[in-house]
Amino acid sequence: MAARRGRRRDLSAVAPRISCVDRREFLLGASALALAPRIRSVSFARTPRPVALVTADLESHLVAVDLPGGQVRRHVPTLSFPRSVERVGDTAVVAHSEIGAVTLVHGPTLEVAHVLHGFGEPRYTAGHPDGRHGYVTDAGRGEVVALDIGRGRVLAREQVGPRARHVTIDPSGRTLWVALGTKAEEVAVVDVSVRWRPRLVRRFRPPFLAHDVGFAPDARHVWVSSGDRNQLAVYDARSGRLLASPYGDSPPQHVTFAGRLAYVTSGWSGTLRVHRVDGRPLARTVVPVGSYNVQQTMGWVVTPALGRGYLTVLDERGRVRRSELVARSSHDACVVAVR
């Protein structure tokens, strides 16, 4: 935005010049003036607040909900059928699977920044740690699509296998795991060490039909949930060796992480389980039936209820803080920092 321009005034015509200046007083006054704007800017600066962005699946908007209070801040208009939402840097990436489009929402202002078309069936997003690149799975075309989030551009597409859906990225930003379907016989491993050029490395078969995938923050453990049984799989991220098979409630399950903890939801069972990232169980909490997808950011765990529209907010120990009705149906949610 261009700076405002005003008329210059001849100050010499307003007041007579000062013939004598006390140097010490002048320096003290100048220092005070220099410090004053900084003090003012700090005192009036807005602290970013965590806000959950929840998909309103049957309406053409996201619901912005203040955390942890649960008050609806506003509705963010989007294209129709918002299905998934994931934060990449300070941007929320919204996939509209039915109409083949992706909306990019600037988190701090909750304004739509870009709308991208030309997808078959965009499903889920993994955000690179650099906050600039994102990877969207396209189930209709069996692709991973690399995006420049800031510029709102498609950078590359890579064939990874049919029905590419849930996706996760390792903390170093070098590898994606992609579940190929809701009951996936295979999981694809994709090299993204060159951020704008995803490359399929291999596919492998988990011990069950897979649904969700998730890298733990320690970069050592990666979880695969099931689409056909009450079981989970924890792998060694480097060797691919199966380390543990924790119990999960009714499939499909979804997983997210905070530090050394893993949070697993079962929408059919209406539960959220807390585990150590190595698979050891810690706690079980009841949440509304239909709470499938789950995400953790900024100290809060959020899970929306598909077909019911409740958003449940939990703390990092897995304790329910609030459960609010925010839409007719909510498929997904993420957390952004809003000014």
Side-chain angles (χ1 to χ4, degrees):
M1 183 171 63
R4 295 181 179 177
R5 296 180 180 176
R7 296 179 178 177
R8 294 183 179 178
R9 300 174 60 195
D10 184 359
L11 297 180
S12 62
V14 177
R17 294 184 181 271
I18 300 173
S19 58
C20 181
V21 176
D22 185 315
R23 180 177 177 81
R24 185 178 178 185
E25 267 189 358
F26 176 82
L27 291 175
L28 286 172
S31 300
L33 287 172
L35 288 172
R38 298 181 187 176
I39 295 170
R40 234 182 341 261
S41 65
V42 170
S43 62
F44 288 99
R46 290 185 178 182
T47 302
R49 294 181 56 85
V51 169
L53 287 181
V54 189
T55 61
D57 307 341
L58 304 178
E59 296 90 9
S60 301
H61 63 248
L62 304 177
V63 184
V65 181
D66 282 322
L67 298 178
Q71 296 84 5
V72 173
R73 175 183 286 247
R74 58 174 288 193
H75 292 162
V76 181
T78 67
L79 300 178
S80 57
F81 306 116
R83 283 291 184 260
S84 72
V85 58
E86 177 76 25
R87 183 175 64 87
V88 181
D90 63 0
T91 299
V93 180
V94 186
H96 307 265
S97 304
E98 283 82 351
I99 61 174
V102 169
T103 299
L104 306 182
V105 177
H106 185 235
T109 60
L110 298 180
E111 299 292 337
V112 173
H114 302 281
V115 177
L116 308 179
H117 296 275
F119 297 83
E121 187 184 335
R123 295 301 307 193
Y124 295 97
T125 303
H128 194 279
D130 68 3
R132 177 177 175 179
H133 295 87
Y135 304 93
V136 176
T137 55
D138 190 330
R141 297 177 178 174
E143 296 176 336
V144 165
V145 183
L147 302 181
D148 183 324
I149 299 297
R151 296 182 179 180
R153 294 173 50 195
V154 171
L155 299 176
R157 303 174 185 268
E158 173 76 351
Q159 286 284 331
V160 297
R163 309 304 301 169
R165 285 175 60 94
H166 282 289
V167 58
T168 184
I169 190 167
D170 80 288
S172 70
R174 299 180 63 86
T175 304
L176 301 175
W177 280 26
V178 183
L180 302 178
T182 58
K183 297 181 179 180
E185 294 184 357
E186 292 185 309
V187 173
V189 179
V190 181
D191 177 19
V192 288
S193 55
V194 179
R195 300 172 192 181
W196 52 89
R197 194 173 65 218
R199 182 175 61 87
L200 177 65
V201 176
R202 63 187 177 92
R203 292 194 289 260
F204 71 91
R205 290 178 175 265
F208 44 68
L209 300 182
H211 187 80
D212 194 15
V213 287
F215 268 99
D218 65 3
R220 294 173 50 202
H221 300 89
V222 56
W223 286 51
V224 178
S225 77
S226 175
D228 70 341
R229 65 190 68 180
N230 54 0
Q231 186 182 349
L232 307 159
V234 182
Y235 287 89
D236 181 280
R238 291 186 179 180
S239 67
R241 182 170 60 91
L242 182 64
L243 300 176
S245 300
Y247 177 81
D249 290 310
S250 299
Q253 311 94 2
H254 295 81
V255 61
T256 191
F257 303 91
R260 298 288 298 168
L261 299 178
Y263 306 89
V264 180
T265 51
S266 167
W268 280 114
S269 297
T271 58
L272 179 143
R273 289 181 177 268
V274 185
H275 299 258
R276 296 286 186 189
V277 292
D278 61 8
R280 287 178 291 170
L282 294 176
R284 178 179 179 272
T285 302
V286 174
V287 294
V289 171
S291 300
Y292 290 97
N293 286 314
V294 61
Q295 293 201 39
Q296 185 286 142
T297 315
M298 303 179 196
W300 301 107
V301 180
V302 294
T303 177
L306 181 64
R308 302 188 61 170
Y310 283 93
L311 175 70
T312 301
V313 181
L314 306 96
D315 62 23
E316 288 192 340
R317 295 178 63 181
R319 299 174 300 188
V320 174
R321 296 293 297 271
R322 301 193 72 87
S323 190
E324 302 285 347
L325 183 65
V326 298
R328 285 185 286 164
S329 177
S330 299
H331 186 89
D332 204 1
C334 73
V335 181
V336 297
V338 176
R339 292 197 294 263

